[in-house]
Amino acid sequence: MPRIRRGIGWTLLCVAGAALLLHARVRAQPANANANANANANANANTNTNANANANTNTNVDAQRPRINHVLIISEDGLRADAVDSLHLHWHEILRKHGVWAAHAKTIRDASTLPAHASMLSGVLPKEHGLTWNNWRPHKGYIQTPTIFTDAQEHGLTTAFFTVKSKLRHIVPPGTVGTYQRPGYLCKKVAEEAAQYLTSEKPALAFVHFSDPDESGHSKGWMSKQQIHAIGDSDRCLGILYEALEKSGLIEDTLIIVSADHGGHNHVHSGAKLIDRAIPWIACGPGVREDYVLEDELSTMDTAATALYALGLPIRPEILGKPRLDIFEAPKADIK
Ligand SMILES: [Zn+2]
């Protein structure tokens, strides 16, 4: 059982993580002489700017950053938050059990696929990133702001982008990711190919997009019998990725964020209703609290800032999202 195996491994990892944190704090506090020194300074500055109530502004935030070498963001297109809350989805429940669930996560007001994903992956609103339409229009070019992928690449990190929909290409100007792939339309194919790539190439930052819930939502209705079946498929696809990370050992130093671009009602998602904007948001990985619910509001733009923070990268001042330091366990180093 993954849950049992994970439970034991996770306990050991937490113990090891606490020891590492203690060590890092004792050893590295004054010099902070690691490759991320510049990134850390910026991350701290941004944390202070955003006045994140959860940040400890009197200590070196990066000294508390768990050892995360990979971030995997999985977006399940059109997956409503209440679907994950109510449908007892096996793999989502495993991640929630071993991670953090945001009870009030919202996408942007323009709750459509391209603008919302662009905000999730850039940390800024459509008026800044410029992707205000929702289909593939090659003549309109690409996103107007940097994304977490450009940030990662500028700092020498490897990246990968797996999507179902060609319109998401607008978020990825040529040369800004290590690999960009559209393996197929159903999530099984996407998950299998992404899993193979992630475990063989081990990119630092990866994005994987499933669209089964959205397709059936538009054709058969949100929370229809058919969409619930498609959500079950999406859950199994999440399991393909999770098991691949577990078998390869990557789970030990990977932060996984599971979210969506929007919800929906009837056959649409305009963003006018909260049910269109309420999205699932689960974080799971080294140093992340287990079985913990974040009660305050979380923006989809926080995904970008949290991913950058987790990788030790600078968070540019124009990013509106906040690094969600509250997903992490309180630093064990406070125990003198
Ligand atoms: Zn969508």
Side-chain angles (χ1 to χ4, degrees), residues 41-152:
N42 285 299
N44 288 337
N46 183 270
T47 299
N48 296 338
T49 302
N50 286 327
N52 187 319
N54 300 294
N56 183 346
T57 54
N58 294 321
T59 60
N60 184 332
V61 173
D62 192 70
Q64 301 164 13
R65 187 173 63 84
R67 189 173 152 271
I68 294 169
N69 294 320
H70 311 273
V71 171
L72 169 60
I73 300 168
I74 300 162
S75 177
E76 299 174 270
D77 203 307
L79 182 60
R80 272 170 41 168
D82 65 333
V84 177
D85 241 352
S86 63
L87 294 180
H88 304 293
L89 304 167
H90 176 75
W91 291 102
H92 288 76
E93 293 208 345
I94 285 180
L95 264 74
R96 285 180 65 164
K97 181 79 178 169
H98 291 296
V100 167
W101 163 258
H104 305 287
K106 286 167 71 178
T107 191
I108 57 170
R109 172 62 181 81
D110 185 358
S112 45
T113 302
L114 180 56
H117 276 116
S119 289
M120 177 197 293
L121 300 173
S122 68
V124 299
L125 291 167
K127 66 181 179 183
E128 305 298 334
H129 64 59
L131 301 183
T132 54
W133 60 94
N134 192 35
N135 53 12
W136 173 231
R137 300 182 190 176
H139 64 282
K140 297 201 75 165
Y142 296 96
I143 192 165
Q144 292 170 12
T145 57
T147 67
I148 56 174
F149 298 96
T150 48
D151 290 336

Side-chain angles (χ1 to χ4, degrees), residues 8 162 182 257 265:
I8 295 166
F162 291 82
R182 285 181 59 217
I257 297 176
H265 67 282

